[in-house]
């Protein structure tokens, strides 16, 4: 299985999903014109990864801005990991937010309340 690397653009985040380490990173802004098309690549990769996962999977999300269309797909993405976790796999989600970014913090809290996976809110400076 190959890594999934998508370079960031003005409207899409940097993606680095590494099968060998089990670390999946999403960093940047998520305001794509067609979020379904963008996030389908992530869903498809994750579904393949679940066939031969690492002992522990770590999902790191550090978004500076996210629109409502992307927010829906991020939740669906987390729900994929919830199903994976409920099958007995080790999985953690780290949601990074900047010190004064109440909107991203609140969104992280919202996801944390919905998704049944170890979910950590991590403040950055």
């Amino acid at each position: 299985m190959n890594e999934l690397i998508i370079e960031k653009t003005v409207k899409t985040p940097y993606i680095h999903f590494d099968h060998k380490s089990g670390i999946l990173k999403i960093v940047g802004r998520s305001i794509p014109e067609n979020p379904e098309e963008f996030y389908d690549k992530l869903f498809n990769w994750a579904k393949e990864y679940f066939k031969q996962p690492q002992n522990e999977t770590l999902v790191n999300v550090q978004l500076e801005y996210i629109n409502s269309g992307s927010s829906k797909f991020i939740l669906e993405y987390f729900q994929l990991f919830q199903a994976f976790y409920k099958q007995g796999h080790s999985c953690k989600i780290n949601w990074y937010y900047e010190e004064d970014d109440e909107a991203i913090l609140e969104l992280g809290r919202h996801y944390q309340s919905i998704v049944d996976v170890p979910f950590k809110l991590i403040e950055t400076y």
Side-chain angles (χ1 to χ4, degrees):
M1 172 171 213
N2 293 326
E3 290 178 296
L4 176 63
I5 299 175
I6 302 173
E7 293 302 327
K8 77 176 187 173
T9 68
V10 177
K11 295 188 176 199
T12 60
Y14 170 71
I15 306 295
H16 185 196
F17 292 178
D18 183 1
H19 175 263
K20 291 178 183 163
S21 69
I23 298 174
L24 291 62
K25 295 179 188 174
I26 301 174
V27 180
R29 299 171 60 84
S30 187
I31 53 172
E33 302 203 4
N34 186 343
E36 183 173 4
E37 182 181 308
F38 181 79
Y39 283 96
D40 269 353
K41 295 174 206 161
L42 281 60
F43 295 157
N44 292 335
W45 190 94
K47 288 173 186 173
E48 280 300 308
Y49 171 78
F50 294 155
K51 293 176 184 176
Q52 293 186 314
Q54 293 300 321
N55 291 335
E56 181 167 274
T57 301
L58 186 59
V59 180
N60 292 323
V61 180
Q62 187 170 0
L63 294 169
E64 61 191 52
Y65 184 78
I66 180 171
N67 65 8
S68 58
S70 293
S71 179
K72 171 185 177 266
F73 286 98
I74 291 285
L75 177 58
E76 288 178 19
Y77 181 70
F78 288 162
Q79 288 171 333
L80 279 177
F81 285 91
Q82 175 178 279
F84 175 70
Y85 177 73
K86 287 187 172 185
Q87 292 171 355
H89 298 281
S90 179
C91 178
K92 295 177 185 168
I93 297 173
N94 289 325
W95 180 266
Y96 293 86
Y97 64 95
E98 290 187 18
E99 180 179 15
D100 295 328
D101 194 338
E102 287 296 318
I104 295 293
L105 171 58
E106 285 307 313
L107 185 58
R109 284 183 178 145
H110 176 69
Y111 291 143
Q112 186 181 45
S113 72
I114 294 173
V115 181
D116 185 21
V117 175
F119 196 114
K120 195 173 193 182
L121 299 167
I122 301 172
E123 187 176 57
T124 62
Y125 303 95

